[in-house]
Amino acid sequence: MEKIVALCKRRGFIFQSSEIYGGLASTYDYGHYGVLLKSNVKGEWWRAVVQERDDMVALDAAILMHPRTWEASGHVQSFTDPLVQCMGECKKRWRADHISTEGGYARCPECGGGLSEAREFNLMFETFMGPVREDAARIFLRPETAQGIFVNFKNVLQFARRKPPFGIAQVGKAFRNEITPGNFIFRTREFEQMEIEFFVPPAEAPEWHRRWMDDRMRWYTDLGIRPDHLQLRAHGEDELSHYSAGTSDIEYLFPMGWSELEGIANRTDYDLRRHAEFSGEDLSYFDTATGERYVPYVIEPSAGADRGTLAFMVDAFDEEEVAGRKRTVLRLHPRLAPVKVAVLPLVSRDGMPEKARAIYEELRRVIPAEFDEGGSIGKRYRRQDEIGTPWGVTIDGQTMEDDTVTLRDRDSLEQVRVAAGALAEELLRRLNSEWRSPKLAG
Ligand code: ATP
């Protein structure tokens, strides 16, 4: 993880938030390549869950919601974690369910001191709407995007003319006042979720639950995550949320061990029933074909955009020796890579920079490209390898004679000569063809 954090800073992916003031704990800012990478993760998610399906629509609900929402959803009452405090020297606070009780009883992981009784701590951030700080004006920053979907169920049913089985997809920020954030962007207090609520006739819920687990697992492996670093783990009875009839987590083998990447829950009809009760609106569905009225069950695949981005980076990170020199490379799936092609003049004379710039300006109209003329060619390639650029184009002496360039592959390091005029087509062909992680070779 330290290597990933260092690379993220060195190459401008992710910075500590408010760093010039000493930083705000467990809060991060995305720089240029980080923005592009996370935006590609979200883009691939939209592609898979909306563009390539007939049964999904998109939504972007507000972060601030009517406070009754959180009473109906159960968050005011039970969105809590058990908090314990060290009674020894360090006085640190911990999540009781994250502390090992090996050897019989729990001790402070920092100083070994005894721990207080656990008390329930609500994770929602509160704020006030309008100028008066009074109870009636108290609202919350949403702790999940899901509720924005449930409260819009009726709108989508009526105005998007959908009928179950269908789903609503949403990407957006969520906020949780986590007791122990950490592991870089794995657990932060402000993060982005990619959530789906898929509404189905109750009898079909188990089948759709299974299908979504398969679909979501395949999404990660299609985008290059090694299948043996991914597992599906069903929650035990004692782990299940108050609304769930069954939840499975997709876990990834992070540097700190297997940890949740995405949760896929069967939320039953809990949310729609509760919102119907609290709002007085009828949130049932009348099936004209069967003459049946029912409250749909909901299958919820809920993923983290930041956690996903971290997993893709961890899985792509590689170090190898090439011709006696160490090479660090992010073997990102080309569709996730922030930059797809780097255009580099071999030297900065003999008309090469001008020629390279002309090629770059053509390419960037169709594919994310970068032009770099500073420093030795080896150094420029090392930089591109570290940001995960899958292809490099070098403009050299021969280009000036016959208008061909060298096209270098990040993973195999293979170089081929391509006519400059055929470059765009060749790059798009590569981008759209099947890609397999080179780590799976052999
Ligand atoms: P945990 O048990 O790790 O606290 P959770 O089970 O409460 O997580 P969910 O409510 O299922 O998490 O949230 C769905 C997804 O949102 C998670 O799988 C994760 O990818 C993301 N997520 C949740 N909390 C955070 C956080 N604090 N920081 C970053 N991502 C998060």
Side-chain angles (χ1 to χ4, degrees), residues 95 176 178 186-188 191 193 260-261 302 304 307:
R95 231 173 99 167
R176 296 181 188 179
E178 300 275 3
F186 177 81
R187 187 185 301 287
T188 51
F191 54 96
Q193 290 189 310
E260 174 179 340
L261 193 53
S302 171
R307 259 188 214 183

Side-chain angles (χ1 to χ4, degrees), residues 21 26 50 105 123 139 219 256 261 278 302 304 336 384:
Y21 289 105
S26 301
V50 175
Y105 60 106
L123 300 181
I139 58 166
W219 184 77
M256 66 280 186
L261 193 53
F278 279 66
S302 171
L336 295 180
Q384 294 298 334

